[in-house]
Structures are given as C-alpha cells and as structure tokens.
Amino acid sequence: MTVADSGASGARPEVRTGTGALRGTREAGVAVFRGIPFAEPPVGALRFAAPRPVRSWSGVREAVSYGPPPPQGGHFGMDALARETAGDDWLTVNVWSPDPGPDAGLPVLVWIQGGAYTIGMSGLPEYDGGRLAGEGGVVVTFNYRVGLEGFGQFEGAPANRGLLDQLAALEWVRDHIRAFGGDPDRVTLFGQSAGGGSVAALLAMEGAAGLFGRAVAQSAQGTFFSPELAADIAASCTAELGLRPTVADLAEVPPHLLSAAGDAVGASCAGPAGRWGRPALRAVIFSPVVDGAALAVTPWQALADGSRRHIDLLVGHTRHEQRLLTALDGLLGQVSEEQAATALTTFAPPPDGARRYREAFPAAGPDELHELVLSDWLFRMPTLHLAEAHIAAGGRAHAYELTWPAPGMDGILGACHGLDVPLVFGALDRGQPAALIGTGAAAVAEAAALSARMRAAWTSFAARGEPGWPAYDAERRLVQLFDARPSVTHYPEERSRRIWRDHVFSVLPLLDP
C-alpha cells in the first residue's frame, strides 16, 4: 500500500488500498476520503443478505462525496434526505487522516451513529471527523442498514444484517486502514444511542473478536430482542403491505415502501403492547436480535463471562437523557401524575421499582419521575451496567456523565440525549444537534472549551487507554463529570444505581397476548 501526496498547497491526497486506488481531498490540513465501498451494494440478489466483500476496481477512484445512505425511516425528514441522493451503494466508509501513509501508525476511531436502529447515515454534518482527526488519530465513519432492511426478522435472511454490516466495516478497517495512516492493531469503536448499543453488541459478537481493542459506549440503547419478538414485529410491518415477512415476498418491494411500512407500525405500536411489552410503549420496534448465531448472548452477559476483559471500555451518559424525547412527544412540563405512575409501573425494575423511585426521590413531581425512570431504563442504567459487568469480570472501565446543560432552545432540555455528539466531534455549528448549543457567544465559547476536553479524552483513550481520570471500580465509583467546570466525583446517580443494582438486562421477549 502506498500514498501519493506532494504536500503542496491544494494537492489532493491519494492512497492505494487492497481493492484499488483512491483520490480524496484535503480540508483544514486533514486528508479526507469519502464514499469508499466496503461491501457490494445489498440490492438485487444481495438484498437482505449478509454483506459481500467489495470487488476491486482499476484506475483511481474519486473519493470526495459521501455514498448514498441506506433507506431511512421518516423521523426528522431522514427518508426525504435519503431519497435526495440517488444510488444503491449504501455500504461505504469515510476516512479522515492527519497523516495518510502506511507508516504513520496512528490510533483509529471508528464511529457508529445512532438513530433507534431506524434512521442514521454517516454523511450528516454533525459526524464530520475533521476536528477529531486533528487531535492525532484516524477517524472512520460508515453506513449500515437500518430499519427493516437491517433489522427486520425475515424468513430466508440472516438476522442482524445491520450488525453484520458493522462487522464488515470493521474488517475493512483491519484490511485497509494502514494505507490511510492508521494502525489496525489500535482500533477503538465509539458510538452513541443505537450506535452505543451497537458497540455493546459488537463486544458480545464472536465474529468481532480481534477487530478492536477499545470501545466507547455513549448512552447505549439497552434494548435487545428475542427472535420471536423481532419476527412478530416484522410480520406486523409487512402486513401493512399485504405481504409475509419472507425474502421471497419482499425481494421486489421498493425500499422506501418497506421503510414507510415500518414507520406506520412504529407510529401505532402501542396497540400491540400486550405482545411486545415495553418496547411498544416507547415505539422501539427495531433492535439487535439475540439469535444464537451472530449474537449469541446479550452484551452484559458477554462482559460478565470475562472473555472481553482485555478490551478497554469507556462508558457514559447524559444527565437528562429522556428530556429531548419527552419534548418530541409534546409532554415536556405536562406529564400528569397518571402518566408518571404508568411509566414507573411499566419501566422500573420489578418487583417494587415504582415504590423505590418514589422513596428515593420524595420531592420529585410527575415530570421528574417520568424523566428519571425512562432515562434509566433505556440509556443510563444499561450503559452503567456495561461498566459494572466488565469490572466484575476483571476488565478495566472508565465512566463519565455529561452534566453541562445545553443553553440552546432556551436551555429547557438540559444535558439531554444527543448533546454529546457535537461535543465529541467538535461540530458545534452544523447539523441538528448544534441547535442544542445555540449561537450566543458565551454559550459557544463554553461549548468549545468543553468540546476540546472531550475530544482530548476520547483520543487519549484511543491512543493509550487513558482518558484522563481514574478507572471506575466497585468501591469508589469515580466518574468524570463533563460540565463548564469538569470534576471527578462519585457516580452522581447513586439513587438510580441502587434501584437498578440487582436488575438483569435480559433479552426482551414476545409476551403472551
């Protein structure tokens, strides 16, 4: 593998990988290569199949534009955004490198975006890796199939195709990242929300062994489905089209119609709550499936058995995870006592979690109780339990909590879900998450300082396994608080931790109707 880059002003960097030569761009001193295929397009005969290795090409391939995203759900207009980019080459990677060349030996950070396993594309402006790569590492982002294309449980298709895409992207990194200046033996995964859940899933997948040595799970989504639950949800989705959940029935269905069917079920899935349980009540209809093949056990079980103890782990969450989701539901400041009671009864850990929440937070009103239990069930406690399981088995973990209240949107969302994304990437003025930060000079300056600290921590962890604060342990439970004035302290959500201490995050089943 070789690199050609004269270093002259305006020179375009070129690299040669095992599948062909690429010509990228140079932006703010960082070499950038976009839209590199890591697998064959999963369409036609390959639709609903596991990803296939990409074929080689001749000549120099232009790598200046993001590849077309996979079919998207309709949230935040992502379906329309996806249709603006024609093409079916959905499975592509993007690379930012401060020093492209086979001998640089830089640490590699591989990002997995979130989106409830329903939406998500690597070409969003908030995932621009230039600022993070400027800290001294190679940054990789990529697309993977979402929604029914990636996680629908269909007869004749492997489960977890979205996870298999992620695995294929990691194999591409192993085989080709040296050409971009990266060290394939120093790969760190990092992801947020469903991306954090994907990081957790990859920790549990035997097929991912040896592909990364460190992992960062940011606000990891804690839902993992049984095959029966996933199959029942898929059947409801395809019934919207009058079809069965089989590859034979679905092979010729236009992808946007399949996505729309998923949207329809997601919008009304509280109806099947008797069968689908808690995921239906939170409109979570896609998640990794513990199928006994690609994913044999949950991440918490995999970490607890100690076979991943050699992997360094960094985990954390925001303080007010649920608040943004409550705002999107139109309930911010309007949660009734009845709604809070239902949330506690449904989502607090049995047998007496609802009572324990009320006793632990005696001054909390309906809004706070609703926010606490939903934050804990979906993000905060699943994330913390990754660290707890890892250290109990002899592994090393560091933990953090983002407590800085976002000043944008009149500050009503606090340290909400997704606030960490622009701070970690340093993309403070672009993309939807940037609206959380606002445009005021003081807010932007404060965010810039906090972002610099978080970027330094992530890249230090990727390079050396040390983010800059003590490891988490069962006695002191020290965590880094990221705020205007960062500090290291005992885990501040101790009351929630105690409520969930003995809870086991297990596979979510299909219930008896």
Side-chain angles (χ1 to χ4, degrees):
M1 299 179 183
T2 60
V3 62
D5 186 353
S6 69
S9 176
R12 294 182 57 193
E14 293 186 13
V15 300
R16 180 168 295 278
T17 73
T19 50
L22 297 158
R23 182 184 295 120
T25 61
R26 187 167 290 279
E27 301 171 9
V30 173
V32 186
F33 302 84
R34 296 183 172 93
I36 309 165
F38 68 85
E40 288 295 298
V43 297
L46 298 183
R47 192 176 183 194
F48 307 124
R52 303 283 179 88
V54 68
R55 289 171 288 184
S56 299
W57 59 84
S58 59
V60 180
R61 183 185 180 111
E62 292 292 317
V64 297
S65 301
Y66 293 111
Q72 302 282 304
H75 307 282
F76 308 110
M78 295 285 275
D79 53 346
L81 185 61
R83 289 198 297 272
E84 290 176 3
T85 308
D88 53 21
D89 201 1
W90 303 335
L91 303 182
T92 58
V93 301
N94 318 291
V95 181
W96 288 259
S97 175
D99 187 9
D103 300 321
L106 298 172
V108 182
L109 294 106
V110 180
W111 170 252
I112 307 178
Q113 70 266 358
Y117 304 104
T118 304
I119 58 174
M121 58 184 75
S122 63
L124 293 178
E126 53 263 38
Y127 303 143
D128 186 292
R131 292 293 299 275
L132 196 56
E135 302 286 336
V138 175
V139 175
V140 178
T141 67
F142 63 91
N143 288 335
Y144 61 95
R145 284 172 283 182
V146 294
L148 287 163
E149 297 284 344
F151 293 94
Q153 187 83 353
F154 301 143
E155 180 183 329
N160 295 311
R161 296 175 297 281
L163 295 182
L164 296 178
D165 292 345
Q166 296 170 15
L167 194 62
L170 284 171
E171 290 171 341
W172 182 92
V173 168
R174 176 197 62 199
D175 296 339
H176 303 290
I177 203 62
R178 197 179 298 278
F180 301 86
D183 183 349
D185 295 322
R186 288 203 293 166
V187 173
T188 297
L189 288 185
F190 71 125
Q192 182 265 351
S193 194
S198 295
V199 169
L202 287 161
L203 282 165
M205 293 173 67
E206 294 296 338
L211 295 177
F212 60 96
R214 298 185 176 114
V216 185
Q218 303 170 212
S219 304
Q221 183 171 328
T223 51
F224 286 77
F225 288 176
S226 70
E228 295 78 16
L229 174 59
D232 199 69
I233 292 172
S236 291
C237 293
T238 57
E240 292 285 321
L241 302 171
L243 299 170
R244 299 171 302 159
T246 68
V247 170
D249 267 26
L250 302 174
E252 301 300 324
V253 174
H256 73 278
L257 292 182
L258 199 58
S259 295
D263 286 346
V265 170
S268 61
C269 69
R275 301 196 314 274
W276 300 351
R278 289 167 291 177
L281 296 173
R282 296 308 301 150
V284 175
I285 63 169
F286 302 115
S287 284
V289 181
V290 179
D291 65 334
L295 184 60
V297 297
T298 67
W300 305 279
Q301 184 176 338
L303 291 176
D305 72 18
S307 60
R308 279 75 173 171
R309 66 170 63 93
H310 62 285
I311 295 178
D312 297 326
L313 189 59
L314 171 61
V315 304
H317 55 72
T318 70
R319 173 154 291 177
H320 310 114
E321 293 280 3
Q322 173 62 28
R323 195 168 298 180
L324 173 64
L325 308 182
T326 300
L328 294 173
D329 288 339
L331 290 175
L332 196 61
Q334 301 180 44
V335 177
S336 68
E337 176 58 42
E338 181 181 1
Q339 288 169 320
T342 298
L344 288 171
T345 301
T346 305
F347 294 99
D352 59 349
R355 175 188 61 79
R356 297 181 68 190
Y357 265 99
R358 292 190 183 278
E359 290 180 352
F361 301 93
D367 287 284
E368 184 177 359
L369 288 169
H370 179 268
E371 177 179 299
L372 282 166
V373 71
L374 292 177
S375 293
D376 287 342
W377 174 73
L378 190 54
F379 299 118
R380 298 200 313 181
M381 293 304 109
T383 303
L384 180 67
H385 279 215
L386 291 173
E388 299 271 7
H390 196 48
I391 65 171
R396 180 179 176 86
H398 292 79
Y400 73 89
E401 182 175 18
L402 176 59
T403 55
W404 183 66
M409 303 177 68
D410 298 323
I412 61 174
L413 297 180
C416 67
H417 188 67
L419 178 60
D420 50 329
V421 172
L423 294 171
V424 167
F425 276 89
L428 304 178
D429 59 352
R430 66 196 73 172
Q432 292 179 337
L436 300 173
I437 293 168
T439 57
V444 170
E446 198 167 85
L450 181 55
S451 173
R453 285 190 287 268
M454 294 185 75
R455 294 198 313 273
W458 265 236
T459 53
S460 176
F461 179 75
R464 296 176 291 280
E466 294 286 350
W469 63 88
Y472 186 85
D473 61 58
E475 288 74 38
R476 297 179 301 168
R477 306 188 191 283
L478 295 180
V479 303
Q480 172 74 57
L481 299 188
F482 283 110
D483 211 320
R485 295 183 178 179
S487 61
V488 175
T489 186
H490 302 291
Y491 182 62
E493 313 307 334
E494 178 65 12
R495 288 178 288 180
S496 288
R497 188 194 71 80
R498 287 181 175 274
I499 293 171
W500 290 83
R501 177 174 52 195
D502 300 321
H503 179 75
V504 175
F505 284 96
S506 56
V507 176
L508 294 167
L510 180 67
L511 305 175
D512 291 331

